[in-house]
DNA sequence: AGATGTGAATGAGTTCACAGCT
DNA sequence: AGCTGTGAACTCATTCACATCT
């Protein structure tokens, strides 16, 4: 009964991505219908949680029957706004930035890396997987010209704050930060941190347990 | 009053890593003492949460005074078992795996990438930032010889399950999975997923909001 | 006075269990 | 019978507010 809603819990949202992927897999296998239980068993999820998560956004299934795979996948796809193509700019085209340029650019029609910027003059002009490297100083112009909405920060820690300010100034609306630095969230700009060292240190902690 | 405890909430644990980094920063700046309030203001954290998080592990500060920066950093360092050096094996030395080999190997004495394996024969024998690439079929031997405790999965989705099984068989105790695949957790083996596409899709959702 | 450490209060997120539909 | 959708119960996490110590 809930209408299409204002803002969903981030964890629910992340699981939606997971469900979508699982459904695509089933689609490839030619499965037409699936129950929350089957989904859960097959992909190590929780059936109650699948239903609750979906309930945030409406009704997608048929009682007594289950979900139609393609149709549910399609609706999750739209829900996540993946019908739109989103453009990314990568700030910092070192190892990680370059790897991501190749990784994101590939085989996906919802996301496209349209540019990379780097502060080291030696790299400017180079292309990484069709992504042209431009000078960091040109960030604002690059974002404007390419209409990029998402910024990716892959610079060393010392340069992260400047990269962040640059992206804010350039007007991107979402930022994925790989630098190990605490950035201050701004209203209207989605900030998400991906911190490899935190993951490693969590594992380290568990390795050190009795 | 709580004794050194059995298992901490993962979210608390991750923030411990953050706190440690912030303290190291203050150390470099020559700051000797800090209060939870000052830490919070400086790094966009919550002072109550800092105190609560630390409370899981004991008492670290002095009432009315605050925390001694180096000493607290040192204790968090040990708590996270970072005094030990942990060895990693990377499964899948493509773009992402190679980038991580360079990224993790650098400037860190708690983590060391000791080997990479790859199934494409063309890459075997190559070195990426001092990491020798060995054949995937040798994974069990490589892990044994290097005494690696942490496995990193950076293969394409189709190969992820095999990489996971290989690492389990080889006996690593923690696994960082970058492949967009739901792996089944096993008791005794810490599994952590890092899924770029999920992050991108979360941003996509927010970009699509009214 | 000033800051920690902590019980109590609140809020978020997950699981349960069942009413209601096919 | 079978499965969704959902209120209620429960668990986990954050925030408040204050007793306690320097």
């Amino acid at each position: 009964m809930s209408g299409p809603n204002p803002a969903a819990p981030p964890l629910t949202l992340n699981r939606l991505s997971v469900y979508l992927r699982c459904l695509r897999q089933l689609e490839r296998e030619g499965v037409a219908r699936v129950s929350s239980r089957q989904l859960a068993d097959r992909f190590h999820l929780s059936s109650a949680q699948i239903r609750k998560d979906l309930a945030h956004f409406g009704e997608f299934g048929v009682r007594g029957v289950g979900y139609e795979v393609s149709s549910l996948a399609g609706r999750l796809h739209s829900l996540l706004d993946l019908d739109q193509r989103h453009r990314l700019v990568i700030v910092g085209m070192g190892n990680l930035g370059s790897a991501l340029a190749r990784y994101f650019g590939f085989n996906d029609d919802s996301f496209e890396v349209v540019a990379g910027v780097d502060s080291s003059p030696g790299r400017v002009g180079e292309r990484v997987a069709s992504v042209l490297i431009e000078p960091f100083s040109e960030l604002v112009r690059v974002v404007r010209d390419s209409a990029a909405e998402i910024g990716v920060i892959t610079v060393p820690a010392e340069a992260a704050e400047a990269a962040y300010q640059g992206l804010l100034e350039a007007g991107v609306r979402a930022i994925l930060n790989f630098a190990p630095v605490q950035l201050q969230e701004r209203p209207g700009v989605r900030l998400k941190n991906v911190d490899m060292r935190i993951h490693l240190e969590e594992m380290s902690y568990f390795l050190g347990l009795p």
Side-chain angles (χ1 to χ4, degrees), chain A residues 20-86:
Chain A
L20 175 53
R21 236 197 338 254
C22 298
L23 290 164
R24 292 302 187 199
Q25 168 87 30
L26 293 176
E27 236 179 353
R28 280 194 297 274
E29 293 173 13
V31 178
R33 266 202 249 102
V34 72
S35 71
S36 57
R37 178 62 118 80
Q38 291 171 313
L39 254 184
D41 289 352
R42 176 77 149 68
F43 297 102
H44 323 112
L45 306 165
S46 139
S47 63
Q49 192 161 61
I50 293 171
R51 297 198 301 278
K52 246 300 190 280
D53 285 338
L54 295 178
H56 276 95
F57 300 96
E59 309 203 350
F60 300 88
V62 181
R63 292 176 192 223
V65 179
Y67 303 92
E68 214 258 295
V69 173
S70 300
S71 132
L72 180 54
R75 296 187 63 186
L76 294 184
H77 192 89
S78 311
L79 239 160
L80 292 167
D81 201 44
L82 299 171
D83 299 330
Q84 292 291 321
R85 173 176 288 226
H86 299 284

Side-chain angles (χ1 to χ4, degrees), chain A residues 45-172:
Chain A
L45 306 165
S46 139
S47 63
Q49 192 161 61
I50 293 171
R51 297 198 301 278
K52 246 300 190 280
D53 285 338
L54 295 178
H56 276 95
F57 300 96
E59 309 203 350
F60 300 88
V62 181
R63 292 176 192 223
V65 179
Y67 303 92
E68 214 258 295
V69 173
S70 300
S71 132
L72 180 54
R75 296 187 63 186
L76 294 184
H77 192 89
S78 311
L79 239 160
L80 292 167
D81 201 44
L82 299 171
D83 299 330
Q84 292 291 321
R85 173 176 288 226
H86 299 284
R87 287 168 291 282
L88 321 194
V89 191
I90 296 179
V91 182
M93 288 295 283
N95 285 321
L96 190 56
S98 300
L100 292 177
R102 286 183 272 252
Y103 196 76
F104 290 148
F106 221 69
N107 220 346
D108 196 314
D109 38 38
S110 298
F111 299 98
E112 181 189 7
V113 179
V114 290
V117 299
D118 201 289
S119 61
S120 100
R123 310 227 36 195
V124 171
E126 216 178 295
R127 271 183 193 277
V128 174
S130 89
V131 176
L132 179 64
I133 302 183
E134 308 217 44
F136 176 71
S137 56
E138 293 294 303
L139 183 54
V140 173
R141 181 187 55 73
V142 168
V143 169
R144 181 170 21 82
D145 291 359
S146 61
E149 301 166 292
I150 302 178
V152 181
I153 298 178
T154 43
V155 298
E158 319 80 69
E161 185 61 40
Y164 185 52
Q165 295 302 330
L167 286 169
L168 290 174
E169 191 192 336
V172 301

